[in-house]
């Protein structure tokens, strides 16, 4: 079970969208550039004046993965070992998200495969974006 | 005297800056270390403050100068290995009472300020320049070299110290909580340990070049062997155990493909070096080791973790900056002491250097050849963090000692020690120093 999430000012729109089963990523409208994790300023123009949230298509590819056997997070330790993959979004492969790849056997990860976003509940009910391999 | 962080202008971050303006005009002379320990036993005499003082005094004595000749301090104020003093734990009053304290009761216990050092080292009567460097000794060395070169001080002590407290590291704090703040959750919810990002890059490296984890074995064995000949190091002092191929290959995974021995061991320790001008260094007790260049990598990955492509591009850029500023080529390197804690950093660093002519994807094959200190191609003669515990400074001590001819059992013998390079930690985000036995 993942830890619960307490949305803060910077990330509240992301978590609110997740509760509606939508994936949004921060975008600088001036630079036309997505960034994740969100930040107070655009990583390119360094201004926070033009930041907005943009809905994503919810599809991507598995870029890479590792298998975690010694996890520092107490709530996840009963689930070890587990996959932690890096997903690159189809909307912009420069945007990465982590995933436990629900439904994919441990250490049997099809790198390069297409994935789609799903939403899982965490310990406090907050929904979290996760990714499943498209069969 | 208010102490702030070194300004960006002190770092050599760009390619095309030409030969370093102070090439060969700054030298390292003295080396000072504290003992090592796995964790703090909470005695005053083994605190991070006490061991910092010990390292500084040892460096002064090693250089053969008097304390009043020192006019500059460059230190890293952060001392944590990942352990922080628990909020609900009473402060150790006997430790606090053993030193002259600043307004911050954790000063000298779980952090370090210039103010605290000067209060507790009254013999340093002529410090008129002090500056902080972030994170690592590698960074502080770059700052100290530039400070001496620029004439901001003429005799500088550089210091990095580490504290390690009871308990497994990174297992407390927010990692033990039921819920965490939204910003932290973006990256930490999935439970990746510290070595995960590097393990991913290594996994991609192996897929791309047809390599595997077992090919790291000679590097691991070599590093521990060299570390056991480092009397200042943790393994030599406390657990003088050689590693076998079986030990490494059967070790438990932390984040596959990184196992226990691909990670370093967090320890308590401190080290200091005395830097001065090449001119003043001539009259000091130890042979000067001249600094030919320092270089900085300040790249930031676009995504959550650097891709292999980003890592390889940045290491190549770092290599070019190192050689350009030093006015040397790869053929001039006698040895390399690039960072290794995690082990899977090392192949990226040495491929970026093109060490001994290796190209992308060739480092693990290179490890299967003679990489010992006795051979013509010494790899990590210090043994690094893997050989002596997490300090991120063994590589610098060793580089200085190699070029002074006093590396003891680790002294490289298959090649003359003339020029070496050390630095790290991250392929994206590191600081490097080129050392030479001669100023030109």
């Amino acid at each position: 079970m993942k830890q619960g999430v307490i949305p803060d000012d910077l990330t509240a729109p992301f978590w609110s969208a997740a509760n509606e089963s939508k994936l949004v990523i921060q975008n600088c409208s001036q630079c036309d550039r997505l960034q994740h994790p969100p930040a107070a300023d655009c990583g390119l123009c360094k201004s926070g004046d033009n930041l907005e949230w943009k809905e994503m298509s919810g599809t991507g590819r598995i870029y890479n993965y590792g298998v975690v056997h010694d996890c520092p997070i107490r709530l996840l330790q009963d689930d070890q070992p587990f996959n932690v993959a890096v997903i690159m979004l189809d909307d912009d492969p420069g945007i990465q998200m982590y995933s436990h790849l629900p439904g994919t056997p441990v250490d049997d990860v099809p790198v390069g495969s297409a994935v789609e976003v799903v939403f899982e509940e965490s310990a406090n009910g907050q929904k979290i974006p996760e990714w499943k391999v498209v069969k | 005297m208010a102490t702030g962080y070194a300004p960006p202008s002190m770092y050599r971050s760009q390619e095309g800056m030409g030969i370093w303006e102070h090439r060969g005009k700054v030298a390292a002379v003295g080396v000072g270390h504290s003992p090592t320990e796995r964790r703090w036993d909470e005695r005053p005499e083994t605190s991070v403050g006490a061991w910092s003082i010990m390292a500084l005094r040892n460096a002064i004595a090693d250089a053969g100068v008097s304390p009043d000749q020192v006019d500059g301090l460059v230190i890293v104020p952060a001392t944590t290995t990942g352990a922080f003093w628990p909020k609900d734990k009473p402060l150790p009053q006997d430790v606090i009472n053993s030193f002259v304290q600043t307004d911050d009761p954790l000063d000298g216990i779980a952090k370090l300020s210039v103010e605290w050092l000067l209060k507790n080292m009254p013999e340093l009567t002529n410090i008129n320049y002090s500056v902080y460097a972030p994170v690592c000794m590698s960074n502080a060395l770059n700052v100290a070299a530039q400070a001496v070169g620029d004439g901001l001080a003429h005799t500088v002590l550089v210091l990095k110290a580490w504290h390690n407290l009871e308990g497994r590291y990174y297992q407390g704090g927010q990692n033990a909580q039921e819920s965490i703040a939204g910003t932290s959750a973006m990256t930490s919810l999935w439970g990746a340990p510290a070595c995960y990002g590097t393990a991913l890059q290594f996994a991609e490296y192996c897929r791309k070049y047809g390599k595997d984890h077992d090919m790291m074995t000679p590097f691991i064995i070599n590093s521990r062997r060299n570390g056991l000949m480092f009397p200042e190091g943790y393994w030599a002092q406390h657990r003088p155990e050689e590693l076998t191929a079986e030990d490494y290959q059967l070790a438990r995974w932390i984040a596959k493909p990184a196992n226990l021995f691909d990670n370093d061991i967090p320890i308590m320790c401190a080290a200091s070096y005395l830097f001065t001008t090449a001119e003043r260094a001539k009259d000091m007790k130890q042979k000067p080791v001249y600094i030919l260049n320092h270089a900085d990598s300040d790249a930031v990955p676009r995504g959550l973790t650097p891709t292999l492509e980003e890592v390889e591009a940045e290491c190549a850029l770092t290599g070019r900056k190192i050689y350009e500023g030093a006015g040397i080529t790869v053929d001039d390197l006698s040895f390399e002491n690039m960072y290794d804690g995690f082990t899977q950093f090392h192949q990226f660093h040495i491929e970026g250097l093109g060490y001994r002519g290796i190209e992308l994807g060739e480092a693990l094959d290179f490890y299967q050849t003679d990489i010992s200190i006795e051979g013509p191609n010494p790899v990590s003669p210090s043994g690094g963090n893997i050989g002596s515990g997490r300090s991120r400074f063994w590589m610098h001590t060793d580089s200085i000692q190699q070029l002074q001819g006093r590396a003891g059992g680790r002294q490289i013998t298959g090649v003359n020690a003339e020029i070496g390079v050390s630095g790290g930690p991250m392929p994206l985000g590191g600081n490097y120093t080129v050392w030479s036995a001669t100023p030109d």
Side-chain angles (χ1 to χ4, degrees), chain A residues 3-4 6 8 33-34 63-67 69-70 73-74 76-77 84 86 92 96 100 107 130, chain B residues 168 171 174-175 177-180 182-183 188 190 196 200 204 207 252-254 256 302 304-305 307:
Chain A
Q3 291 168 292
I6 304 166
D8 45 27
R33 181 179 184 267
L34 297 166
Y63 166 61
N64 205 343
Y65 80 102
V67 181
H69 290 249
D70 194 341
I73 296 184
R74 192 168 296 164
L76 289 174
Q77 288 170 349
V84 180
V86 176
D92 180 347
Q96 302 173 345
H100 286 146
D107 207 7
E130 264 295 359
Chain B
R168 292 199 64 200
Q171 299 274 330
Q174 72 169 26
N175 288 343
Q177 294 171 1
E178 293 284 316
S179 297
I180 56 173
T183 300
S188 68
W190 287 266
Y196 167 80
L200 283 196
E204 188 178 4
R207 283 196 297 272
R252 66 184 178 89
W253 297 111
I254 303 297
K256 188 181 177 184
R302 170 93 193 279
L304 295 173
T305 187
T307 64

Side-chain angles (χ1 to χ4, degrees), chain B residues 378-400:
Chain B
V379 165
S380 191
S382 69
N385 276 26
I386 297 307
S388 290
R390 180 184 306 156
S391 75
R392 298 180 176 170
F393 53 57
W394 309 116
M395 52 201 178
H396 306 306
T397 296
D398 182 72
S399 296
I400 295 167

